[in-house]
Amino acid sequence: MAKRAGVSIATASKAINDRGEVAAATRARVLRAAAELSFQPNVLAQGLVAGRTRAIGLLTDEFDGRFAIPILLGAENALSDQEMSVLLCDTRGDAIRRNHYIRTLLARQVDGFIVVGDSNDVRASLTADLPVPAVYVYCRSTNPADLCLVSDDEGGARLAIEHLIALRRKHIAHITGPQHYRAARDRVAAVHAVLAEHDLSLAGGQPLHGEWSQRWGRHAVRLLMATAPEVDAIFCGNDQIASGVTQALVGLGRRVPDDVAIVGYDNWEIFAADCTPPLTTIDLNLQQLGTTAVTHLAAALSGAPAAGVVRQPCRLVVRESSA
């Protein structure tokens, strides 16, 4: 290309990279030669010269689970817009695999990391082992200096209960997952707070904690109806529980939503949209979490890192189970 344009290799490089010390006519001649030869710059070489590879490492513990794929899609879309790439590694919750992938990604000179959790809960910080910036998504790091992006579980629960109250439901129960999950505890706290603001109390007295499963939903709602038959609405900790609750209510002769309104959580299409009736639920905006992670990582790479916990707002998706 330099030969065709009649310039030195150094001048051709400066013209292609739009550096200011090249005359306009010379740059035009080089660019014309590049177009005629269908020249494409070596992005890897450019990155190495600039100290950047324009690649991001993404570590997840549960690639085949509910949460990682939407986050990955959001991150990949945002990285693509910036002409960057993502290298995905599934650690499967294994520390040895995680350390191996960290070493491998650092050997490939990735510019930064996105670390994806599986439960919106606390996980050990990896930052001390990383010489490049990292952003934690759908998890909280043990290091307060790390930036962690999480779904706003309290805000999501508030949306659910306020929706049911707006439908004039007075006897609202809560069936959810294991109590050791931070997300479950945060939602319970929000449920009690919103009900108290409206001079209401939780039907049955206490939330029912169990598995994140349809089976638990079916079992729990039978227990609930035996002790609190006045229940006219149930907020469920995820869409699987809500699907099981809806199935069991039909067997108990209760109509949804006429007798009992149901709200789930997660907006997992396979359960929410295909349930009978389709579930009103809380969407976590997981793709937006991935997009926001890239925005914050780009800021850190530009010398403006952030720290602390940032809560991503959820949204209410209304379907027939409450309408």
Side-chain angles (χ1 to χ4, degrees):
M1 178 188 65
K3 183 177 180 180
R4 190 182 187 103
V7 300
S8 68
I9 293 175
T11 299
S13 175
K14 292 175 182 178
I16 287 293
N17 290 290
D18 199 24
R19 292 172 60 179
E21 53 264 51
V22 180
T26 302
R27 176 176 289 108
R29 195 163 69 250
V30 172
L31 294 177
R32 185 166 57 250
E36 291 169 355
L37 295 172
S38 300
F39 172 78
Q40 291 292 329
N42 187 317
V43 175
L44 178 59
Q46 286 181 326
L48 292 175
V49 170
R52 292 275 189 89
T53 59
R54 302 194 66 78
I56 299 300
L58 189 146
L59 296 174
T60 177
D61 285 338
E62 54 101 50
F63 180 64
D64 60 347
R66 163 71 181 93
F67 306 104
I69 292 177
I71 293 171
L72 170 63
L73 290 175
E76 198 279 330
N77 285 338
L79 288 168
S80 178
D81 289 343
Q82 299 185 30
E83 297 185 343
M84 300 179 73
S85 58
V86 59
L87 302 176
L88 171 66
C89 294
D90 181 7
T91 68
R92 304 177 194 176
D94 182 84
I96 295 175
R97 290 176 65 91
R98 184 182 305 114
N99 292 334
H100 163 70
Y101 283 133
I102 289 174
R103 290 193 301 270
T104 300
L105 291 169
L106 289 176
R108 289 176 175 265
Q109 296 183 296
V110 294
D111 294 334
F113 282 82
I114 295 175
V115 182
V116 181
D118 62 352
S119 64
N120 225 24
D121 218 321
V122 176
R123 62 165 298 149
S125 175
L126 304 177
T127 305
D129 300 322
L130 305 178
V132 293
V135 174
Y136 296 78
V137 186
Y138 205 67
C139 58
R140 290 175 172 87
S141 163
T142 52
N143 185 348
D146 291 336
L147 177 66
C148 308
L149 307 177
V150 299
S151 292
D152 185 1
D153 282 303
E154 293 185 6
R158 175 172 288 274
L159 286 174
I161 300 302
E162 287 180 343
H163 171 65
L164 292 171
I165 292 173
L167 295 173
R168 301 184 183 279
R169 305 294 169 141
K170 303 292 186 184
H171 306 287
I172 302 171
H174 185 36
I175 299 175
T176 190
Q179 196 167 8
H180 65 264
Y181 276 78
R182 176 187 289 269
R185 298 195 303 273
D186 287 350
R187 292 173 200 167
V188 166
V191 168
H192 283 302
V194 178
L195 289 174
E197 290 168 11
H198 293 269
D199 295 322
L200 297 173
S201 57
L202 192 65
Q206 295 295 327
L208 295 177
H209 288 279
E211 301 173 346
W212 301 108
S213 68
Q214 289 176 283
R215 180 175 60 181
W216 166 239
R218 290 191 293 267
H219 177 66
V221 78
R222 293 189 186 102
L223 293 176
L224 178 66
M225 289 303 177
T227 57
E230 72 279 5
V231 166
D232 59 9
I234 304 174
F235 169 42
C236 300
N238 71 359
D239 293 334
Q240 292 161 277
I241 293 173
S243 178
V245 165
T246 303
Q247 294 169 9
L249 284 173
V250 173
L252 293 170
R254 301 296 183 98
R255 297 169 300 166
V256 177
D258 302 69
D259 300 325
V260 183
I262 305 295
V263 176
Y265 209 97
D266 293 343
N267 197 26
W268 193 354
E269 292 285 331
I270 193 172
F271 288 102
D274 290 343
C275 186
T276 304
L279 289 171
T280 292
T281 185
I282 302 298
D283 192 300
L284 304 179
N285 289 327
L286 293 173
Q287 285 202 34
Q288 183 59 45
L289 269 179
T291 301
T292 304
V294 172
T295 300
H296 282 287
L297 189 56
L301 291 171
S302 299
V309 177
V310 178
R311 290 174 174 79
Q312 170 79 41
C314 303
R315 65 185 179 94
L316 176 71
V317 180
V318 178
R319 298 191 180 96
E320 287 89 331
S321 71
S322 69

